[in-house]
Amino acid sequence: MADESLFEFLHMEIVAYVYKHQSGDNNDQERGNALSTLEGLGFRVGQGLIERFTKDTPTFKDDLDAVKFLCKDLWINLFRKQIDNLRTNHQGTYVLQDNKFSLLSQFSNSKQYIEEAPKYLVYTCGMVRGALSNLGIDSVVTAEVSVMPACKFQVVIQRA
Amino acid sequence: MADESLFEFLHMEIVAYVYKHQSGDNNDQERGNALSTLEGLGFRVGQGLIERFTKDTPTFKDDLDAVKFLCKDLWINLFRKQIDNLRTNHQGTYVLQDNKFSLLSQFSNSKQYIEEAPKYLVYTCGMVRGALSNLGIDSVVTAEVSVMPACKFQVVIQRA
């Protein structure tokens, strides 16, 4: 799909650019800064997108309802597929599994790429956190890769 | 359209980010650097996209043919509409006019915004130049706004 490529290419370029400008000599702190910049970019895009997407949607009755909306509607719009599996402990932790995550699909399954994967996931973590934030839900969102291009996003809701 | 928003939001964030990191005190040289960074990002995305888009397309018979492809197929895929008007002097200069350019559609027509417009056009200039470059055509691409959100991209082919 064409606009999917647009997003994929643009995403790759942004990751490369932010890394080039913020982690010159590859030390841990600078790598942390770059990740946090990408997360922040995603956060603001997520905030904007959810506002547009939920314009005609009734309010969500609880966190689960909001997370389900992300897994279906948001994911389809962004990645042309739904989240494949959603699990929750019913205490505010949600695990969203995508068996073929589009931003990883260009990478092979070698160890080197798995180590590089976090930088291709953090923008999306930010986007999920930004979307939830705009629905009034504070969260911490992390991601991990098991076997490329499958990955899991963990959302932990922060109670006030 | 949802993925159109995705691209628009992401584009806005990238422009803001690059400007924040590269034109701290707003002097001309730093502003030039930021524009050139955005142009470079667009260039590489354009190279990648055209490769994907022209996979099943026969080669173009001349520059005009290639530029027409950008005006129709590339533009529809990226911006959901064609270029509204294409002019050429038949000596290597092409003017592509978009009467409602999507990356400007969020701005009003006040003087302040028209002055700001170049930074929202330069990524697309880079993308056009990158696409042509991957088709073996060197060019210089600039853009100007007349009345928001209409704009013109000027492509000047560089002969070896």
Side-chain angles (χ1 to χ4, degrees):
Chain A
M1 198 72 194
D3 18 52
E4 210 180 317
S5 329
L6 173 67
F7 175 50
E8 282 169 24
F9 283 123
L10 188 52
H11 178 266
M12 296 278 287
E13 285 301 323
I14 296 164
V15 172
Y17 172 75
V18 169
Y19 265 74
K20 190 176 142 202
H21 280 259
Q22 294 198 347
S23 63
D25 52 6
N26 246 1
N27 71 36
D28 282 352
Q29 197 203 325
E30 284 180 333
R31 206 148 41 204
N33 288 348
L35 286 177
S36 139
T37 296
L38 288 169
E39 210 268 351
L41 273 176
F43 183 82
R44 289 184 296 279
V45 172
Q47 286 187 311
L49 282 178
I50 200 75
E51 211 159 286
R52 179 118 18 142
F53 285 175
T54 55
K55 220 173 39 188
D56 308 315
T57 310
T59 43
F60 300 108
K61 64 178 200 293
D62 54 21
D63 298 348
L64 178 59
D65 210 26
V67 173
K68 277 184 180 167
F69 180 82
L70 301 190
C71 293
K72 283 189 190 166
D73 298 66
L74 187 76
W75 229 256
I76 285 175
N77 273 301
L78 299 183
F79 305 118
R80 315 262 162 195
K81 68 185 289 293
Q82 295 186 25
I83 280 287
D84 296 293
N85 190 283
L86 169 64
R87 288 176 185 214
T88 176
N89 65 355
H90 296 288
Q91 297 183 347
T93 298
Y94 299 89
V95 178
L96 290 64
Q97 182 171 328
D98 188 328
N99 293 331
K100 199 172 173 231
F101 185 56
S102 77
L103 298 180
L104 291 176
S105 60
Q106 301 182 37
F107 298 101
S108 82
N109 196 20
S110 76
K111 188 161 169 289
Q112 176 202 349
Y113 284 117
I114 290 183
E115 281 167 4
E116 291 276 292
K119 68 184 191 192
Y120 297 102
L121 297 174
V122 70
Y123 170 87
T124 305
C125 290
M127 211 158 57
V128 169
R129 191 171 70 85
L132 288 172
S133 157
N134 231 25
L135 299 172
I137 303 170
D138 279 340
S139 65
V140 171
V141 182
T142 52
E144 63 178 59
V145 173
S146 40
V147 180
M148 292 270 199
C151 69
K152 287 178 184 171
F153 295 91
Q154 189 182 58
V155 178
V156 181
I157 310 292
Q158 309 292 297
R159 309 286 174 199
Chain B
M1 198 72 195
D3 16 54
E4 208 180 318
S5 327
L6 173 67
F7 175 51
E8 282 170 21
F9 283 123
L10 188 53
H11 179 264
M12 296 278 287
E13 285 301 322
I14 296 165
V15 172
Y17 173 76
V18 169
Y19 265 73
K20 191 177 141 201
H21 280 259
Q22 293 198 349
S23 63
D25 52 5
N26 246 0
N27 71 36
D28 282 352
Q29 196 202 326
E30 283 179 333
R31 210 154 33 210
N33 289 347
L35 286 177
S36 138
T37 297
L38 288 169
E39 209 267 351
L41 272 174
F43 182 82
R44 288 184 297 280
V45 172
Q47 285 186 310
L49 283 177
I50 200 74
E51 211 159 286
R52 180 115 21 138
F53 285 175
T54 54
K55 220 171 39 187
D56 309 314
T57 310
T59 43
F60 301 108
K61 64 179 199 293
D62 54 22
D63 298 349
L64 178 60
D65 209 26
V67 173
K68 278 184 180 167
F69 180 82
L70 301 189
C71 293
K72 284 191 189 165
D73 298 66
L74 187 76
W75 229 256
I76 286 175
N77 274 301
L78 300 183
F79 305 117
R80 316 259 162 198
K81 68 186 288 295
Q82 294 186 27
I83 280 287
D84 296 294
N85 190 284
L86 169 65
R87 288 177 184 213
T88 176
N89 65 356
H90 296 288
Q91 297 183 349
T93 298
Y94 299 90
V95 177
L96 291 65
Q97 182 171 330
D98 188 329
N99 293 332
K100 199 173 173 228
F101 185 55
S102 78
L103 298 179
L104 291 176
S105 60
Q106 301 181 38
F107 298 101
S108 81
N109 196 19
S110 76
K111 187 162 169 290
Q112 176 202 347
Y113 285 117
I114 290 183
E115 281 168 4
E116 291 277 291
K119 67 185 191 192
Y120 298 101
L121 296 174
V122 70
Y123 170 86
T124 305
C125 289
M127 212 159 55
V128 169
R129 192 173 66 86
L132 287 173
S133 156
N134 230 25
L135 298 173
I137 303 169
D138 279 340
S139 64
V140 171
V141 182
T142 53
E144 65 178 59
V145 173
S146 40
V147 180
M148 292 269 199
C151 69
K152 286 179 186 171
F153 295 91
Q154 188 182 58
V155 178
V156 181
I157 309 291
Q158 309 293 296
R159 311 284 175 201

